[in-house]
Amino acid sequence: MTQDNLGRLLSDVDDYIARTFSPQDEALSSALEDSRRAGLPEIHISPAQGRLMQLLAEISGSRRVLEIGTLGGYSTIYLARALPENGSLVSLELDEEYARLARANIERAGLSEKVDVRVGDARALLSEMRETFDLVFIDADKEGYPAYLDHALRLSRSGSLILADNTIFGGAVIEGSEYADAEEEGVYLREFNDLVAADERLSATIIPLLRERVDGMTVCRVR
Ligand code: SAH
Ligand code: DHB
Ligand code: MG
């Protein structure tokens, strides 16, 4: 199979999973449409990944969720939909404009009562936090991932899940590979994965995410 065919196959498979298990309703498609119109970077999770994250939150019975990196609230909607009646989600976002749009998207999805979008540098916001979470999703600046891991562990209990987006980054995490020179993010993400793998408090692996570009999500369970 040629590289071109492989690229098309990955993208067709991702679309197949999305339309079979993660069809876009009004709230999800409008969230993306309004985000695009407002000029936000198109770096939200895929529908297939959203469904996977929602399912992980459901399987773990998560009631309290922390998200680091809101953007337009697309991933927030998937995670918040996994919550029971009395569940809640805190999402941290540096950019005030993004946060405002995210709140509107979350409102349209009927999830405002469960979701609290907080504006500021996640490192500063996290330093002030003391509550415990059942699931933490790390998806902000890649340089911050090692620090976010420390906070996620501090704010977790035994059995909590820690998820981290983009931990393959087109292969940029593979040291010395032809993909590695492409992006400096690879260095931080590799450090993050190595920290996770070496941490005896965590049981973890990476789920590959096969889109036009190969990526992955690190999934950890706190022992
Ligand atoms: N989770 C979103 C995508 C997040 S993109 C989704 O899948 O739909 C990464 C986000 O992290 C951006 O909105 C960016 O503004 C935010 N971000 C970057 N650095 C940050 C920081 N230091 N603190 C908080 N948010 C940050
Ligand atoms: C990119 C993708 C992401 O999901 C993200 O959080 C940051 C950057 C990217 O493809 O550049
Ligand atoms: Mg991401």
mmCIF file of all heavy atoms in Angstrom, residues 43-45 49 68-69 71 75 137-140 142 145 164-167 169 211 215-216, ligand 3:
data_model
loop_
_atom_site.group_PDB
_atom_site.id
_atom_site.type_symbol
_atom_site.label_atom_id
_atom_site.label_comp_id
_atom_site.label_asym_id
_atom_site.label_seq_id
_atom_site.Cartn_x
_atom_site.Cartn_y
_atom_site.Cartn_z
ATOM 1 N N ILE A 43 -7.821 22.684 16.459
ATOM 2 C CA ILE A 43 -7.017 21.659 17.134
ATOM 3 C C ILE A 43 -7.830 20.926 18.209
ATOM 4 O O ILE A 43 -7.266 20.385 19.161
ATOM 5 C CB ILE A 43 -5.734 22.271 17.746
ATOM 6 C CG1 ILE A 43 -6.068 23.461 18.641
ATOM 7 C CG2 ILE A 43 -4.756 22.695 16.653
ATOM 8 C CD1 ILE A 43 -4.858 23.997 19.418
ATOM 9 N N HIS A 44 -9.155 20.922 18.035
ATOM 10 C CA HIS A 44 -10.028 20.173 18.932
ATOM 11 C C HIS A 44 -9.849 18.672 18.691
ATOM 12 O O HIS A 44 -9.372 18.262 17.629
ATOM 13 C CB HIS A 44 -11.486 20.571 18.675
ATOM 14 C CG HIS A 44 -11.839 20.489 17.205
ATOM 15 N ND1 HIS A 44 -12.203 19.292 16.607
ATOM 16 C CD2 HIS A 44 -11.805 21.420 16.220
ATOM 17 C CE1 HIS A 44 -12.408 19.516 15.320
ATOM 18 N NE2 HIS A 44 -12.174 20.790 15.048
ATOM 19 N N ILE A 45 -10.280 17.871 19.655
ATOM 20 C CA ILE A 45 -10.261 16.415 19.492
ATOM 21 C C ILE A 45 -11.198 16.007 18.352
ATOM 22 O O ILE A 45 -12.068 16.782 17.944
ATOM 23 C CB ILE A 45 -10.684 15.695 20.791
ATOM 24 C CG1 ILE A 45 -12.086 16.171 21.242
ATOM 25 C CG2 ILE A 45 -9.654 15.894 21.900
ATOM 26 C CD1 ILE A 45 -12.743 15.247 22.249
ATOM 27 N N GLN A 49 -12.496 10.383 19.084
ATOM 28 C CA GLN A 49 -11.795 10.515 20.371
ATOM 29 C C GLN A 49 -12.744 11.022 21.455
ATOM 30 O O GLN A 49 -12.670 10.593 22.607
ATOM 31 C CB GLN A 49 -10.600 11.461 20.236
ATOM 32 C CG GLN A 49 -9.756 11.531 21.505
ATOM 33 C CD GLN A 49 -8.607 12.531 21.408
ATOM 34 O OE1 GLN A 49 -8.373 13.110 20.337
ATOM 35 N NE2 GLN A 49 -7.901 12.736 22.496
ATOM 36 N N ILE A 68 -7.847 20.531 31.298
ATOM 37 C CA ILE A 68 -6.827 21.582 31.206
ATOM 38 C C ILE A 68 -6.668 21.926 29.726
ATOM 39 O O ILE A 68 -6.078 21.154 28.964
ATOM 40 C CB ILE A 68 -5.499 21.115 31.837
ATOM 41 C CG1 ILE A 68 -5.740 20.580 33.262
ATOM 42 C CG2 ILE A 68 -4.477 22.261 31.851
ATOM 43 C CD1 ILE A 68 -4.508 19.939 33.918
ATOM 44 N N GLY A 69 -7.241 23.061 29.286
ATOM 45 C CA GLY A 69 -7.259 23.456 27.871
ATOM 46 C C GLY A 69 -8.647 23.287 27.276
ATOM 47 O O GLY A 69 -9.015 22.209 26.806
ATOM 48 N N LEU A 71 -10.338 25.482 24.833
ATOM 49 C CA LEU A 71 -10.564 25.979 23.473
ATOM 50 C C LEU A 71 -12.045 26.353 23.349
ATOM 51 O O LEU A 71 -12.553 27.097 24.165
ATOM 52 C CB LEU A 71 -10.095 24.933 22.450
ATOM 53 C CG LEU A 71 -9.961 25.392 20.991
ATOM 54 C CD1 LEU A 71 -8.832 26.426 20.842
ATOM 55 C CD2 LEU A 71 -9.661 24.219 20.054
ATOM 56 N N SER A 75 -14.385 19.268 23.357
ATOM 57 C CA SER A 75 -14.094 18.099 24.206
ATOM 58 C C SER A 75 -14.867 18.187 25.523
ATOM 59 O O SER A 75 -15.278 17.162 26.078
ATOM 60 C CB SER A 75 -12.594 17.991 24.485
ATOM 61 O OG SER A 75 -12.096 19.202 25.035
ATOM 62 N N PHE A 137 -8.263 15.549 32.210
ATOM 63 C CA PHE A 137 -7.889 15.530 30.790
ATOM 64 C C PHE A 137 -6.905 16.669 30.539
ATOM 65 O O PHE A 137 -7.259 17.843 30.680
ATOM 66 C CB PHE A 137 -9.135 15.682 29.910
ATOM 67 C CG PHE A 137 -8.833 15.771 28.429
ATOM 68 C CD1 PHE A 137 -7.976 14.862 27.807
ATOM 69 C CD2 PHE A 137 -9.425 16.756 27.645
ATOM 70 C CE1 PHE A 137 -7.705 14.941 26.435
ATOM 71 C CE2 PHE A 137 -9.169 16.844 26.275
ATOM 72 C CZ PHE A 137 -8.308 15.931 25.670
ATOM 73 N N ILE A 138 -5.678 16.319 30.181
ATOM 74 C CA ILE A 138 -4.620 17.312 29.916
ATOM 75 C C ILE A 138 -4.548 17.574 28.413
ATOM 76 O O ILE A 138 -4.319 16.649 27.621
ATOM 77 C CB ILE A 138 -3.256 16.782 30.427
ATOM 78 C CG1 ILE A 138 -3.317 16.484 31.932
ATOM 79 C CG2 ILE A 138 -2.143 17.782 30.105
ATOM 80 C CD1 ILE A 138 -2.068 15.778 32.478
ATOM 81 N N ASP A 139 -4.764 18.855 28.019
ATOM 82 C CA ASP A 139 -4.774 19.179 26.579
ATOM 83 C C ASP A 139 -4.407 20.642 26.332
ATOM 84 O O ASP A 139 -4.858 21.241 25.373
ATOM 85 C CB ASP A 139 -6.169 18.859 25.988
ATOM 86 C CG ASP A 139 -6.188 18.885 24.471
ATOM 87 O OD1 ASP A 139 -5.113 18.785 23.855
ATOM 88 O OD2 ASP A 139 -7.295 19.002 23.900
ATOM 89 N N ALA A 140 -3.569 21.250 27.215
ATOM 90 C CA ALA A 140 -3.166 22.649 26.992
ATOM 91 C C ALA A 140 -1.763 22.667 26.376
ATOM 92 O O ALA A 140 -1.415 21.751 25.628
ATOM 93 C CB ALA A 140 -3.247 23.411 28.310
ATOM 94 N N LYS A 142 1.903 22.067 25.396
ATOM 95 C CA LYS A 142 2.618 20.784 25.560
ATOM 96 C C LYS A 142 3.798 20.918 26.517
ATOM 97 O O LYS A 142 4.147 19.966 27.211
ATOM 98 C CB LYS A 142 3.070 20.258 24.192
ATOM 99 C CG LYS A 142 1.926 20.163 23.157
ATOM 100 C CD LYS A 142 0.653 19.544 23.717
ATOM 101 C CE LYS A 142 -0.561 19.792 22.841
ATOM 102 N NZ LYS A 142 -1.847 19.604 23.545
ATOM 103 N N TYR A 145 2.908 19.938 30.078
ATOM 104 C CA TYR A 145 2.417 18.594 30.424
ATOM 105 C C TYR A 145 3.081 17.986 31.673
ATOM 106 O O TYR A 145 2.370 17.445 32.518
ATOM 107 C CB TYR A 145 2.550 17.643 29.225
ATOM 108 C CG TYR A 145 1.369 17.652 28.256
ATOM 109 C CD1 TYR A 145 0.666 18.822 27.969
ATOM 110 C CD2 TYR A 145 0.961 16.479 27.616
ATOM 111 C CE1 TYR A 145 -0.399 18.817 27.060
ATOM 112 C CE2 TYR A 145 -0.103 16.465 26.719
ATOM 113 C CZ TYR A 145 -0.778 17.625 26.442
ATOM 114 O OH TYR A 145 -1.829 17.612 25.556
ATOM 115 N N ALA A 164 -4.207 12.264 28.524
ATOM 116 C CA ALA A 164 -3.430 13.366 27.939
ATOM 117 C C ALA A 164 -3.461 13.262 26.423
ATOM 118 O O ALA A 164 -3.123 12.218 25.852
ATOM 119 C CB ALA A 164 -1.992 13.342 28.440
ATOM 120 N N ASP A 165 -3.871 14.353 25.775
ATOM 121 C CA ASP A 165 -4.016 14.385 24.316
ATOM 122 C C ASP A 165 -2.664 14.613 23.628
ATOM 123 O O ASP A 165 -1.744 15.173 24.219
ATOM 124 C CB ASP A 165 -4.984 15.526 23.945
ATOM 125 C CG ASP A 165 -5.463 15.431 22.493
ATOM 126 O OD1 ASP A 165 -5.522 14.314 21.941
ATOM 127 O OD2 ASP A 165 -5.780 16.485 21.909
ATOM 128 N N ASN A 166 -2.596 14.165 22.385
ATOM 129 C CA ASN A 166 -1.475 14.514 21.486
ATOM 130 C C ASN A 166 -0.138 13.897 21.849
ATOM 131 O O ASN A 166 0.913 14.432 21.480
ATOM 132 C CB ASN A 166 -1.310 16.044 21.391
ATOM 133 C CG ASN A 166 -2.598 16.747 21.034
ATOM 134 O OD1 ASN A 166 -3.126 17.522 21.823
ATOM 135 N ND2 ASN A 166 -3.132 16.451 19.866
ATOM 136 N N THR A 167 -0.151 12.749 22.526
ATOM 137 C CA THR A 167 1.112 12.223 23.030
ATOM 138 C C THR A 167 1.882 11.344 22.027
ATOM 139 O O THR A 167 2.855 10.695 22.397
ATOM 140 C CB THR A 167 0.882 11.452 24.347
ATOM 141 O OG1 THR A 167 -0.147 10.485 24.134
ATOM 142 C CG2 THR A 167 0.452 12.411 25.457
ATOM 143 N N PHE A 169 1.813 12.861 18.508
ATOM 144 C CA PHE A 169 2.088 14.083 17.742
ATOM 145 C C PHE A 169 2.773 13.793 16.408
ATOM 146 O O PHE A 169 3.869 14.273 16.126
ATOM 147 C CB PHE A 169 2.926 15.052 18.590
ATOM 148 C CG PHE A 169 2.544 16.496 18.423
ATOM 149 C CD1 PHE A 169 1.386 16.995 19.017
ATOM 150 C CD2 PHE A 169 3.324 17.361 17.660
ATOM 151 C CE1 PHE A 169 1.017 18.328 18.855
ATOM 152 C CE2 PHE A 169 2.959 18.691 17.491
ATOM 153 C CZ PHE A 169 1.807 19.172 18.101
ATOM 154 N N ARG A 211 -5.791 9.434 12.593
ATOM 155 C CA ARG A 211 -6.474 10.398 11.727
ATOM 156 C C ARG A 211 -5.594 10.646 10.527
ATOM 157 O O ARG A 211 -4.652 9.911 10.281
ATOM 158 C CB ARG A 211 -6.666 11.719 12.458
ATOM 159 C CG ARG A 211 -7.477 11.657 13.721
ATOM 160 C CD ARG A 211 -8.179 12.990 13.918
ATOM 161 N NE ARG A 211 -7.714 13.717 15.080
ATOM 162 C CZ ARG A 211 -8.094 14.968 15.354
ATOM 163 N NH1 ARG A 211 -8.895 15.611 14.534
ATOM 164 N NH2 ARG A 211 -7.659 15.580 16.422
ATOM 165 N N ASP A 215 -1.820 10.345 15.859
ATOM 166 C CA ASP A 215 -1.583 10.933 17.167
ATOM 167 C C ASP A 215 -1.911 9.878 18.217
ATOM 168 O O ASP A 215 -2.054 8.687 17.871
ATOM 169 C CB ASP A 215 -2.405 12.217 17.338
ATOM 170 C CG ASP A 215 -1.691 13.242 18.219
ATOM 171 O OD1 ASP A 215 -1.053 12.825 19.208
ATOM 172 O OD2 ASP A 215 -1.781 14.450 17.932
ATOM 173 N N GLY A 216 -2.027 10.275 19.458
ATOM 174 C CA GLY A 216 -2.328 9.309 20.502
ATOM 175 C C GLY A 216 -2.791 9.998 21.763
ATOM 176 O O GLY A 216 -2.631 11.211 21.917
HETATM 177 MG MG MG B 3 -5.097 18.399 21.828
#
